[in-house]
Amino acid sequence: TSDTSFSVQQSPNYNGGYILRSYGSMNPRGCEAAIQLEIGKDLRTKENVRIELAKDIAQAIRVFHGEYLHKRQ
């Protein structure tokens, strides 16, 4: 068997929601109003893939809003 244990020094800026805490906003119910997406290089650099990804993300946000957020207002 191989030893898969290793230690990685991580920047606190990239450890568990730094972007959300720093740039997101809180609504009166205490919920974060931010989304953080990690997008791979191939998805960012290929225009046709990036356009389809943007459409898919927008649709997912619309569905989420309709299912979970719109009903609360």
Side-chain angles (χ1 to χ4, degrees):
T1 66
S2 64
D3 181 12
T4 58
S5 64
F6 58 92
S7 176
V8 176
Q9 189 81 9
Q10 292 187 352
S11 167
N13 294 348
Y14 302 107
N15 189 11
Y18 172 81
I19 299 297
L20 296 178
R21 285 190 308 276
S22 298
Y23 302 106
S25 61
M26 288 284 213
N27 69 24
R29 292 183 301 251
C31 298
E32 290 283 348
I35 298 172
Q36 179 175 339
L37 302 172
E38 301 290 336
I39 309 289
K41 182 179 177 182
D42 285 346
L43 296 175
R44 294 190 315 263
T45 58
K46 297 177 181 175
E47 184 177 12
N48 62 326
V49 174
R50 188 174 63 241
I51 290 168
E52 288 304 311
L53 175 65
K55 290 177 185 177
D56 290 344
I57 290 170
Q59 178 61 20
I61 292 170
R62 280 192 292 275
V63 169
F64 182 85
H65 180 270
E67 280 294 313
Y68 299 103
L69 302 178
H70 184 67
K71 292 178 182 178
R72 293 182 186 178
Q73 297 175 356

